[in-house]
Amino acid sequence: MRISGSIRPEKEEMPATSMPAFDRAYSGGGERVSMATAGIDFASSYRLSIGGELVEAAESFDVYNPATGAVLAKAPAGTVDQLDTAVAAAKAAFPGWSRLSWDEREGYLTRFADALQAQSEELTTLLTLEQGKPRHSMAKGEVEAAIYWVREVAKRRLPREIIEETEQHVVETRSTPLGVVAAITPWNFPVLLGLWKIAPCLITGNTMVMKPSPYTPLCTLRFGEIAQGILPKGVLNIVSGGNELGQHLTAHPDIAKVSFTGSTATGKRVMESGAVNLKRVTLELGGNDPAIVLPDADYKDLIPKLFWAAFGNSGQWCIAIKRLYVHSDIHAAFVKEFVAYARDRKVGDGMDPDTDLGPIQNRMQFDKLKNLFADIAANGYAVPLGGTIDESRAGNFVPVTIVDNPPEQSRIVQEEPFGPVLPIIAYDDIEDVITRANQTPFGLAASVWGRDKAKAYEIASRLEAGTVWVNEIHIHGIDIPFGGHKQSGLGVENGREGLSEYTNTKVVMTAR
């Protein structure tokens, strides 16, 4: 993933407000900062972050290293009562936090980013150990991007706007915070996607309760611990545990909004439970992203880009290329070159500096891939590379696998594998491939590749996806909205639009 650069917008100077004694405690933070600058002991046990305190849980659950299958650590299994306490703490913190100026909240988030940066190496190592991705090539980039996101999002503003001004009256719109936000994060990018939610939520004046995936809770618990030394009590709370906590959190009457990243099936349940009190929801869900290589493309130069766009993080990302359509004029030669490049990529332990691709993060996903591989074999599809999982090897390792020209209705084309397996499909007609690319309930992202830029752009404009790249891929930015169409999601993250989703639009009309 690459990040597009952007210029810091001019900050609106918010009017000074008179704060009661309770709120003045939020404006300094100096005494609490010292906790973070002293550093966090990454070898210590893990605890929940609730109301500004580190809280023990009576029970715990095992977190596994996916490269070895061994227990990495025990994480606290928060209870429903502890989750309710966290929501209550966030609710109590909301009035004071929301009354701070944007600049004051930026100061807190900047200090939080500084504290994260001071322990970025420890977070990077922990991320590889619990998630599996290669430390040198992916984990380090994820941590650095996440910290950058916090720092830059903190600089963004949603200024008041005058939409009508006459001799009789003035009409202005304001963006006001919602209240307590629930964030539920996935196991594929736990640091980045966690901080993607924290930064816009807090800068807009909301407070948060976050529940990380039980497969990858450790980094989230650590940066929750770091936050307790920076942020006022109750502003950010982290509670780890099983799926039942997520269900309770999304239905909680004191939660104003849910920001969820995960599967489409779970996203539907989140939306259903949130309807109890008409919660706002942002859902970033699954995808089955097509890439279309046009017959005039310089395909040999594209192969490394397309490989990593499909197989980065061992295919465990929602915006991975999952269907690669290549014109029949170049299909056979393309597959040959692609296989040659892919064959040299090493699958192994992410802590090994020679590793290109790490393990599948958890056994549930590993077993889903085993089932999909069995279907590929049973149907006799051509597999020029990979296709056989060596289960005698410790860890959740799945080989780079390429399926050559399977039928359009095959599972490997129609489903989201979320692993290192890619169908490369031949097509003859542009109209046909556009139809095939759009014949899916998903619509997260897509890409088009070719020398005729006008033609590629015209095709891109007809693809039903929230993001379409032309001759580039996986570029994101603080000011670039990201979201899905159809069953790939609801709402957006990032950009002004994503920031606005953490607020209500309030209209104030004043008579002159």
Side-chain angles (χ1 to χ4, degrees):
M1 181 186 72
R2 289 180 289 160
I3 298 173
S4 175
S6 54
I7 299 172
R8 173 176 175 163
E10 291 295 322
K11 294 196 299 183
E12 181 196 32
E13 292 300 325
M14 303 297 288
T17 57
S18 167
M19 295 188 293
F22 174 75
D23 294 329
R24 283 198 296 271
Y26 284 69
S27 61
E31 185 175 322
R32 297 180 64 80
V33 170
S34 63
M35 291 173 57
T37 55
I40 302 299
D41 180 6
F42 272 67
S44 65
S45 60
Y46 294 85
R47 290 173 288 177
L48 311 173
S49 294
I50 300 176
E53 304 295 332
L54 298 177
V55 178
E56 302 282 354
E59 297 184 5
S60 64
F61 58 94
D62 292 335
V63 179
Y64 295 90
N65 181 335
T68 64
V71 174
L72 173 63
K74 290 187 177 295
T79 64
V80 167
D81 286 345
Q82 286 176 315
L83 191 65
D84 286 342
T85 301
V87 174
K91 184 178 179 180
F94 172 70
W97 181 253
S98 62
R99 282 197 292 267
L100 293 183
S101 71
W102 288 79
D103 286 357
E104 287 171 317
R105 292 195 294 265
E106 179 187 348
Y108 278 108
L109 285 172
T110 298
R111 292 193 290 275
F112 181 38
D114 290 343
L116 290 168
Q117 187 66 58
Q119 303 207 228
S120 61
E121 289 299 316
E122 292 88 346
L123 282 168
T124 298
T125 297
L126 183 59
L127 176 58
T128 292
L129 292 174
E130 73 167 332
Q131 201 283 329
K133 62 188 60 178
R135 188 189 190 284
H136 68 291
S137 61
M138 285 211 74
K140 187 175 181 64
E142 178 177 343
V143 170
E144 289 177 350
I147 296 170
Y148 170 84
W149 231 262
V150 174
R151 204 179 298 282
E152 291 299 314
V153 169
K155 300 173 184 177
R156 296 327 189 246
R157 302 291 185 265
L158 294 173
R160 301 174 186 179
E161 295 184 17
I162 303 297
I163 60 174
E164 185 177 335
E165 188 171 11
T166 69
E167 293 180 357
Q168 287 74 40
H169 75 155
V170 177
V171 181
E172 69 176 34
T173 60
R174 302 178 182 179
S175 299
T176 60
L178 298 169
V180 181
V181 173
I184 301 176
T185 55
W187 47 261
N188 59 335
F189 285 89
V191 174
L192 180 63
L193 296 180
L195 293 173
W196 264 26
K197 298 181 188 303
I198 289 172
C201 172
L202 299 193
I203 192 60
T204 49
N206 302 282
T207 55
M208 176 174 279
V209 178
M210 175 172 283
K211 191 197 105 51
S213 166
Y215 292 120
T216 54
L218 304 182
C219 282
T220 307
L221 290 166
R222 285 295 184 232
F223 65 62
E225 186 175 349
I226 291 170
Q228 300 316 304
I230 304 293
L231 302 175
K233 292 181 178 181
V235 169
L236 176 62
N237 307 271
I238 310 290
V239 181
S240 56
N243 292 331
E244 71 283 355
L245 291 185
Q247 295 166 8
H248 182 74
L249 189 59
T250 57
H252 199 291
D254 288 333
I255 295 295
K257 171 186 170 69
V258 179
S259 180
F260 171 81
T261 302
S263 72
T264 295
T266 304
K268 291 177 181 179
R269 294 196 293 271
V270 168
M271 192 170 184
E272 182 180 2
S273 63
V276 174
N277 63 336
L278 294 180
K279 290 178 175 62
R280 277 67 170 167
V281 292
T282 299
L283 305 174
E284 201 271 277
L285 309 177
N288 194 2
D289 295 8
I292 299 173
V293 179
L294 301 177
D296 68 342
D298 294 320
Y299 70 87
K300 290 185 179 180
D301 292 336
L302 295 180
I303 282 172
K305 291 181 182 179
L306 295 173
F307 175 86
W308 290 109
F311 290 96
N313 202 33
S314 294
Q316 299 170 108
W317 50 4
C318 54
I319 52 170
I321 293 174
K322 299 182 179 76
R323 298 175 288 155
L324 181 51
Y325 292 99
V326 179
H327 196 274
S328 56
D329 286 351
I330 59 174
H331 175 265
F334 181 94
V335 171
K336 182 179 179 181
E337 295 280 350
F338 198 95
V339 168
Y341 181 86
R343 183 175 284 118
D344 292 335
R345 302 313 114 195
K346 179 182 177 181
V347 177
D349 190 327
M351 292 300 292
D352 181 347
D354 293 328
T355 290
D356 296 306
L357 300 170
I360 299 304
Q361 200 284 322
N362 57 78
R363 292 299 297 189
M364 176 193 69
Q365 187 60 30
F366 182 78
D367 289 341
K368 287 182 178 179
L369 286 165
K370 283 170 55 181
N371 183 269
L372 184 59
F373 276 45
D375 180 80
I376 293 168
N379 285 283
Y381 303 144
V383 181
L385 183 66
T388 302
I389 298 174
D390 180 6
E391 294 194 62
S392 67
R393 184 181 183 186
N396 303 332
F397 293 105
V398 173
V400 172
T401 297
I402 296 165
V403 185
D404 186 10
N405 210 23
E408 189 68 26
Q409 294 307 312
S410 61
R411 284 182 58 196
I412 186 56
V413 177
Q414 294 299 315
E415 297 180 10
E416 180 184 31
F418 225 67
V421 52
L422 177 70
I424 304 179
I425 309 158
Y427 73 93
D428 294 302
D429 179 72
I430 293 295
E431 292 300 317
D432 174 60
V433 78
I434 292 173
T435 299
R436 291 159 75 181
N438 288 335
Q439 281 181 338
T440 172
F442 300 106
L444 190 57
S447 60
V448 184
W449 306 81
R451 276 185 288 188
D452 186 338
K453 295 178 182 178
K455 182 65 174 178
Y457 182 84
E458 190 271 333
I459 293 169
S461 69
R462 297 172 60 192
L463 295 179
E464 298 168 354
T467 299
V468 184
W469 292 282
V470 178
N471 291 328
E472 62 182 16
I473 198 164
H474 294 171
I475 293 177
H476 299 277
I478 305 297
D479 300 312
I480 301 174
F482 176 70
H485 291 183
K486 299 188 279 189
Q487 293 189 39
S488 283
L490 187 66
V492 300
E493 296 187 284
N494 304 328
R496 182 185 179 90
E497 296 84 351
L499 206 61
S500 295
E501 291 206 8
Y502 286 91
T503 67
N504 283 310
T505 299
K506 183 176 185 177
V507 178
V508 178
M509 289 182 269
T510 306
R512 283 184 164 174

